[in-house]
Amino acid sequence: MKKALCLIVVMLLLSSCVTGNAGHPDNMTVTPKPTESILPGTSREPASQPSDVDSFSQTLYYPEDSDEDTAQYRLTYSIPVFEDSTPAGAAMNEAVARYMDSLLVLVSQERVPRADRADGEPLPYTDVSYELSYARGYTNVIFNSISSYGVGEELGISTLVLDGRGNERPLQYVSGVYSGENNVAQAILSDVASAVDGNYFHDVTIESVLRAIDLYNGYTVEDFGYRIYVLPASLAPESEGILSFDVTTAEAAPGFVGDVISVDAFYALLPRLNSLATALAVNYESYTDGMISPYAATIYACIRLIDENPGVSGSVVTTRDELIEIISTSLGIESELDLSAWGIKENADSLSVSTSHALSVYGVDISDVTASDGGVLLLKGTLHFGAAGSAASQGYVSTVEIEIIPSAASECGYIISAFKII
């Protein structure tokens, strides 16, 4: 029943192609933000370069119509404003707006009710600032907050990780690893256990680390991997402030990565496996003995083409030869195309591939790798509906067995020679 439901959903997806009073900022006064440096990345460029970003600042007093002298609480914040002439920039602004909604709710429903300012006492407040950074094709927006009721300060941090299309992504989605939170937690626990000068709680466990980390709004993408932020008093005394842990891409990967397959090869191969998983799972077919249906081969080629052209909206113009080459370099076979599989529009000497369809609807979680003669690897794992870390993820669907063969012609160093859905 679950497989049938997933099939229906997949078919539908593939066929669709300043000061003021408390409240939302209305008439934004935008002031230029200094240029930020771009961290060197190894994948696609971020959707918005620093020159495309302005800054908006506002101070809100609570209750409404109060001021610095009469208010019970003050919120001062700065947020980035992305140039919104592109869908990616508009999506980034929507993500920032969602953060602002949550901030205003937090202040009005939790902070303000706790405020009881007497005459002559300092005004309780929350101040929010932001930073931007860029790595590996992702834009990181880091919101730092300081709140005070007159005695001491409470520190907070919240992040947005935005991909090349402006979509907010959790760490599991970025890494493509379904069990990414466990791998990250284990890496942090190892850092805590081996720390010489860290003032951590003595009873930190894998469970307490998992409770402390937020891989949606508490991390950033870095060139080396990921930076995980932990709020005060979670793993160490509050006096230690906000903690940060650097986790490499190797540490976020399954345990066999770096042993039988390199880190770079694993992460380059994973999106291709997910694309093929979607192409085959549409009709629950397998790819064995060099045989794949033109329908599945075409879906695979279209997903890879669109994924490798993130800045293109509407449709990607290509040719039959280019789609066939994508299949050949990934699977090591020649395959016919079925243009009806993606609703491809055929022009005189080119093809138009719509970008409005869903991309990798299925994904694979590899749990075991066995090496055999000639560098051939047998991968075993599970097929999942929904990408790792996505809202659509519905967990395990089936088991899979995949064979990959070393190939200098492939960008990831391997061709996928077999993919069985069991």
Side-chain angles (χ1 to χ4, degrees), residues 219-300:
Y219 86 102
T220 55
V221 174
E222 307 294 339
D223 289 328
F224 57 79
Y226 312 94
R227 180 161 291 143
I228 315 299
Y229 297 96
V230 175
L231 293 174
S234 298
L235 300 179
E238 188 170 5
S239 59
E240 295 296 310
I242 295 173
L243 306 177
S244 66
F245 297 89
D246 290 348
V247 177
T248 66
T249 53
E251 291 172 319
F256 59 79
V257 176
D259 182 11
V260 293
I261 186 172
S262 72
V263 174
D264 289 343
F266 173 77
Y267 282 110
L269 180 66
L270 197 54
R272 292 165 171 80
L273 293 177
N274 292 336
S275 299
L276 186 56
T278 296
L280 294 171
V282 170
N283 290 320
Y284 271 84
E285 59 182 286
S286 292
Y287 157 53
T288 58
D289 301 322
M291 300 295 294
I292 187 171
S293 71
Y295 187 91
T298 304
I299 290 179
Y300 173 80

Side-chain angles (χ1 to χ4, degrees), residues 8-197:
I8 294 171
V9 175
V10 171
M11 294 303 292
L12 289 172
L13 288 172
L14 288 176
S15 63
S16 67
C17 278
V18 146
T19 62
N21 292 323
H24 292 275
D26 294 318
N27 298 320
M28 287 190 174
T29 301
V30 176
T31 55
K33 180 171 178 60
T35 299
E36 306 277 351
S37 61
I38 302 177
L39 299 179
T42 56
S43 61
R44 296 180 294 272
E45 289 296 315
S48 179
Q49 298 294 328
S51 60
D52 297 331
V53 187
D54 291 321
S55 183
F56 172 74
S57 299
Q58 188 174 43
T59 296
L60 305 176
Y61 293 103
Y62 298 80
E64 292 188 25
D65 300 322
S66 59
D67 55 26
E68 189 77 18
D69 295 326
T70 61
Q72 288 294 309
Y73 204 88
R74 182 190 74 226
L75 167 63
T76 300
Y77 66 88
S78 294
I79 57 174
V81 180
F82 295 91
E83 202 282 316
D84 62 358
S85 63
T86 65
M92 288 180 163
N93 286 332
E94 290 174 3
V96 173
R98 288 192 296 272
Y99 165 78
M100 276 305 307
D101 286 341
S102 65
L103 175 64
L104 293 172
V105 169
L106 172 68
V107 170
S108 63
Q109 296 186 8
E110 297 186 28
R111 301 290 187 188
V112 173
R114 290 166 52 192
D116 187 18
R117 183 190 188 190
D119 290 342
E121 290 186 347
L123 178 61
Y125 64 86
T126 292
D127 290 341
V128 178
S129 59
Y130 77 91
E131 306 170 53
L132 295 178
S133 65
Y134 305 85
R136 294 194 285 135
Y138 289 87
T139 298
N140 301 306
V141 186
I142 308 165
F143 295 103
N144 294 289
S145 65
I146 302 176
S147 299
S148 176
Y149 289 95
V151 178
E153 293 180 337
E154 181 179 335
L155 304 179
I157 190 169
S158 183
T159 66
L160 302 175
V161 174
L162 307 170
D163 68 11
R165 293 184 173 88
N167 299 310
E168 188 177 356
R169 298 302 190 188
L171 187 146
Q172 291 94 329
Y173 186 96
V174 177
S175 69
V177 179
Y178 285 85
S179 57
E181 68 277 11
N182 295 319
N183 301 336
V184 168
Q186 186 58 58
I188 292 174
L189 183 62
S190 297
D191 284 352
V192 170
S194 62
V196 176
D197 54 357

Side-chain angles (χ1 to χ4, degrees), residues 330-349:
S330 295
L331 309 183
I333 60 172
E334 298 292 333
S335 174
E336 296 181 359
L337 299 177
D338 181 353
L339 301 189
S340 68
W342 198 266
I344 298 172
K345 182 179 179 181
E346 189 167 15
N347 307 309
D349 56 356

